[in-house]
Amino acid sequence: MTSQSKYLLAIISIAWFSFTSSITIKNPSFETTGDWDGSWTKENNELFAPPNGDSFAQLLEGSTISQNIGILEANKAYSFVVWARSTNAHIPDTSGSDRGKQKTHVNLLSKAKLTLRLDDDESEISSAEIVVSPNSTAVSGGKNEHDDGANVFIAGNHRIHLGNSILYQSIASDPIADPWIQGTKLDTDWGLAVGPVSDLNGTLIIKALGGGFTKTDLTQFEKNQGIQVTSRIELVPLLGTEPNYSVPAPSGEDEAGAIFNTVLKHVGDESPWVFDAHYCYDDETEKLWMTWGGHSGFITEVDSSTGKVIDPSTGSEPPSLEFNSHAEGVHTKILTNQKWDGLQMYSSNLEAPGPYEGDEYSTQAYMEGLGLLKHGNFFFACGTYGSMEDSYTIRCCRQNSSEPNAPRGPYKDKNNKRCAEFDTADGRYPSSMLLGPDGDHLVPGHPHFWREYGQGGEEMMFLGYDHRTEIPSVKEDAMAIRRLYFDNDGWPTIWMPIHVRVDTGALPDLVGKQVKLELSSSGDNLSKIAFDHVEISDGQFTTYNPTTQMTAEPTIPTLPTSMPTLPPVLTATVYIGDIIVGSKPVGSKKWKPKLKIYIMKSSSADPVKGVKATIKFTAGSKLKVKVV
């Protein structure tokens, strides 16, 4: 995809306002088919998880819908927000032999735009446009073949991803749009679906990862030899310094593979399947939580210094590593997509009937790859539901962090139903969709969350995951990253907010004018865009500059190289003739000069070849520069 995908709005959560104003939106969440002029369809597919209500508007490429929204008042600062995403995906059947099965789909470029116009002459007041189709992560010096998530943490001046091997990039780079660099390819197997022992800011709590090792699907010969189904989680130290870590030689091995420092294991069957370790550090309680498991998802408190399991009744490590020997309360089952057939104390109050084979979006009654996120007042448990072959989706449930048993559950979906208990009315285990197929990002799974901050101090949340580009797949899974936002009810979403602001205090000529709001789609032929939840707020004019706020643009990033050392820092200087303009206000409504852009290495007087830039003007506003 193009680098346009980096131009996202630097707003993570939106404050939703109610007010009395001459500006109003009818049918803002598209729950009916009226009030909007233009060509669109009302859709309500759960797979696309609209951020407000059950429905959304879907537009084909080249379409525009609009409505007159009222008259602008004097000395008001109006903020307009709409949520958008791409809907370029095959919609699986919900019954029959292909129930829940995803199919190969091309990744079409999709752009969503919000525009305000004067109703009388159709002249544009302000607009913002963003790319909403998923970005294909590039790997410099290697292939993007990294199974089981995008497991990112921050170390020094680098982001580090742990998968089949190490990938890294400068912290100054854009994690979505800029290439990652192939790091060390290790000879030692550090396990399946590894999870860095880090907090939400990506800081390592323990300089180690949790790796899974399993032995299953035994042959009759293996059974005759006394080999048993085995699964375990190993704490694997990370040696050396960023970005190219190494791991020590294992201390031993068994039928499941290498042994380093065993944290938890289970022998005899897959109830539970002990792997897919992921970590969440609660900085308020200073407790470290490990989520893990296949078939069902569990949460366990572990020591923040050693990574070892803690028995909450004793405050110390249980005497045995075997799951079945641990006392009640050491582990808690919080999500599931399958009837439990292990120890009775982990059974849900309501279990699925015997023949249950999964819901309408699953070809298999299975889940794994559980991640835990604490954000705002909630813990979010997000798991991977379905089959990795053709029906993975990422779904979430949450628990209020103020509840006395948090974060051990119960976790509930958006309909307030308990996610570990079978819902007989809906015929499924409850959960709320976060991410299904989108373009050629098929069977997304193994969510990983981390947080960074923009130059203005704004919070930027990221979702890492893995996916396949075709079904059936003929290559290793790929890692991918999306911005993560939070809707008006505080649920995570990959829908992206588009934001435009207009101050009539600075533009008095707009006072008393009838205005029209437009939503439009563009991109590749036959691409599709979804819009949901148009919101308006207003307040008193506060000498806001610029007078219109476009979607936020990133600073020029440090360009990644194939070497582990950091590249030279780039600085941007803008000239009109011999005058340095920089970010000072320039221009007027009528004056539109052409500018030459010089982007220089700080260590050289030579311009950087191959870098282009554009300048956008609004009356009296500051310059905005973006790398295209």
Side-chain angles (χ1 to χ4, degrees):
M1 299 302 298
T2 69
S3 63
Q4 294 177 25
S5 59
K6 70 171 71 175
Y7 307 128
L8 312 182
L9 178 65
I11 294 179
I12 299 300
S13 57
I14 305 294
W16 306 94
F17 300 90
S18 60
F19 55 89
T20 301
S21 174
S22 59
I23 299 291
T24 58
I25 291 286
K26 298 177 182 178
N27 192 19
S29 293
F30 307 97
E31 300 301 317
T32 67
T33 57
D35 301 307
W36 291 89
D37 297 324
S39 178
W40 63 285
T41 58
K42 174 179 172 288
E43 305 289 343
N44 61 356
N45 195 299
E46 179 187 355
L47 202 63
F48 296 122
N52 186 264
D54 298 321
S55 301
F56 56 89
Q58 182 169 274
L59 280 66
L60 288 175
E61 177 270 332
S63 300
T64 297
I65 62 174
S66 64
Q67 68 170 266
N68 295 325
I69 59 174
I71 298 173
L72 294 175
E73 299 177 356
N75 295 318
K76 291 285 188 179
Y78 294 94
S79 292
F80 301 84
V81 180
V82 64
W83 295 78
R85 62 161 293 166
S86 62
T87 51
N88 301 311
H90 165 77
I91 306 301
D93 296 341
T94 56
S95 62
S97 59
D98 282 344
R99 185 202 74 236
K101 186 175 182 180
Q102 300 170 27
K103 296 182 180 180
T104 302
H105 195 288
V106 65
N107 192 15
L108 300 172
L109 174 65
S110 302
K111 295 186 285 185
K113 187 175 183 179
L114 167 62
T115 304
L116 295 179
R117 296 187 184 278
L118 292 179
D119 187 48
D120 53 2
D121 62 4
E122 295 291 320
S123 60
E124 180 178 310
I125 301 172
S126 183
S127 67
E129 184 177 48
I130 58 174
V131 173
V132 292
S133 44
N135 189 69
S136 297
T137 306
V139 176
S140 176
K143 296 180 180 179
N144 184 3
E145 294 184 356
H146 286 261
D147 194 12
D148 294 332
N151 308 305
V152 176
F153 66 96
I154 310 297
N157 293 318
H158 292 93
R159 294 185 193 92
I160 314 290
H161 157 70
L162 304 178
N164 295 359
S165 60
I166 292 175
L167 298 180
Y168 67 90
Q169 64 176 192
S170 164
I171 195 67
S173 300
D174 186 303
I176 298 173
D178 290 334
W180 287 70
I181 301 165
Q182 179 64 61
T184 303
K185 295 185 177 180
L186 305 176
D187 295 329
T188 303
D189 181 9
W190 56 19
L192 299 168
V194 299
V197 189
S198 56
D199 63 13
L200 186 58
N201 293 324
T203 303
L204 290 175
I205 301 300
I206 303 173
K207 193 179 176 182
L209 59 86
F213 294 82
T214 66
K215 177 64 176 178
T216 188
D217 298 328
L218 302 179
T219 66
Q220 188 58 52
F221 175 79
E222 289 173 324
K223 293 177 182 178
N224 294 340
Q225 297 298 308
I227 296 175
Q228 299 185 73
V229 171
T230 301
S231 58
R232 50 184 169 76
I233 293 171
E234 298 289 321
L235 192 70
V236 184
L238 293 171
L239 305 179
T241 58
E242 46 88 17
N244 281 309
Y245 293 102
S246 62
V247 298
S251 59
E253 65 176 30
D254 63 9
E255 58 276 1
I259 297 173
F260 295 90
N261 185 8
T262 306
V263 172
L264 180 65
K265 70 177 183 179
H266 179 56
V267 177
D269 55 35
E270 294 181 10
S271 298
W273 212 357
V274 181
F275 71 154
D276 284 7
H278 244 64
Y279 297 87
C280 175
Y281 181 74
D282 186 347
D283 53 10
E284 291 186 24
T285 62
E286 297 183 339
K287 290 185 176 182
L288 180 62
W289 299 93
M290 179 178 74
T291 53
W292 57 273
H295 303 289
S296 294
F298 286 80
I299 187 169
T300 302
E301 185 184 354
V302 295
D303 189 280
S304 60
S305 298
T306 65
K308 293 289 190 176
V309 170
I310 292 178
D311 184 336
S313 65
T314 64
S316 59
E317 182 183 357
S320 170
L321 297 171
E322 167 58 45
F323 173 88
N324 277 3
S325 72
H326 294 170
E328 185 172 5
V330 175
H331 314 285
T332 308
K333 187 178 72 171
I334 57 175
L335 298 183
T336 191
N337 195 29
Q338 190 177 85
K339 181 179 180 179
W340 175 257
D341 60 2
L343 292 178
Q344 181 61 35
M345 66 181 176
Y346 296 106
S347 294
S348 301
N349 292 329
L350 291 172
E351 292 282 8
Y356 180 69
E357 297 179 355
D359 59 29
E360 61 266 43
Y361 296 110
S362 304
T363 59
Q364 179 184 11
Y366 181 73
M367 71 155 297
E368 63 179 18
L370 172 61
L372 187 68
L373 163 69
K374 186 182 183 184
H375 188 272
N377 297 323
F378 295 95
F379 283 98
F380 295 90
C382 301
T384 308
Y385 287 67
S387 166
M388 74 173 70
E389 300 297 328
D390 54 21
S391 63
Y392 260 6
T393 56
I394 299 174
R395 312 184 199 180
C396 298
C397 300
R398 75 181 184 185
Q399 180 184 22
N400 195 304
S401 59
S402 65
E403 294 179 12
N405 203 42
R408 292 185 179 270
Y411 284 80
K412 300 179 180 180
D413 71 355
K414 291 182 179 180
N415 295 316
N416 206 37
K417 295 183 177 182
R418 294 192 175 198
C419 295
E421 297 184 6
F422 190 77
D423 179 26
T424 55
D426 290 342
R428 60 190 285 187
Y429 285 98
S431 61
S432 294
M433 194 72 66
L434 174 60
L435 181 61
D438 191 3
D440 66 352
H441 286 214
L442 306 171
V443 292
H446 291 267
H448 175 77
F449 307 100
W450 82 95
R451 174 176 59 197
E452 298 183 25
Y453 291 93
Q455 287 190 333
E458 69 277 9
E459 180 186 70
M460 299 185 297
M461 291 292 302
F462 293 94
L463 164 67
Y465 60 97
D466 65 11
H467 68 95
R468 296 179 176 182
T469 56
E470 55 187 335
I471 294 175
S473 182
V474 295
K475 62 182 181 180
E476 191 72 75
D477 294 3
M479 64 90 94
I481 299 169
R482 302 282 281 262
R483 279 291 299 273
L484 191 71
Y485 300 88
F486 289 84
D487 67 20
N488 53 322
D489 291 322
W491 284 89
T493 180
I494 57 90
W495 286 65
M496 298 162 60
I498 310 175
H499 184 222
V500 169
R501 182 176 175 181
V502 175
D503 277 348
T504 57
L507 296 174
D509 290 346
L510 295 177
V511 175
K513 298 289 187 179
Q514 183 84 29
V515 292
K516 177 191 293 186
L517 185 144
E518 288 183 353
L519 306 175
S520 54
S521 63
S522 63
D524 289 339
N525 187 36
L526 300 180
S527 62
K528 293 178 287 188
I529 298 290
F531 290 100
D532 192 35
H533 200 66
V534 185
E535 187 76 6
I536 308 171
S537 63
D538 67 1
Q540 293 299 313
F541 169 64
T542 55
T543 62
Y544 176 79
N545 186 36
T547 55
T548 61
Q549 178 176 327
M550 307 294 288
T551 297
E553 317 248 357
T555 55
I556 299 173
T558 299
L559 301 178
T561 71
S562 59
M563 302 298 291
T565 55
L566 284 174
V569 176
L570 298 180
T571 58
T573 307
V574 181
Y575 296 88
I576 299 179
D578 296 327
I579 301 173
I580 297 177
V581 179
S583 60
K584 296 181 180 179
V586 298
S588 67
K589 290 184 179 179
K590 296 182 179 180
W591 182 50
K592 297 180 179 179
K594 293 182 179 180
L595 303 183
K596 290 183 178 180
I597 310 302
Y598 300 90
I599 301 178
M600 317 295 289
K601 289 181 181 178
S602 60
S603 59
S604 169
D606 297 325
V608 179
K609 294 182 179 179
V611 177
K612 299 180 180 179
T614 60
I615 297 293
K616 288 186 177 180
F617 286 96
T618 54
S621 70
K622 294 182 180 180
L623 285 176
K624 296 187 175 189
V625 181
K626 74 177 183 182
V627 177
V628 297

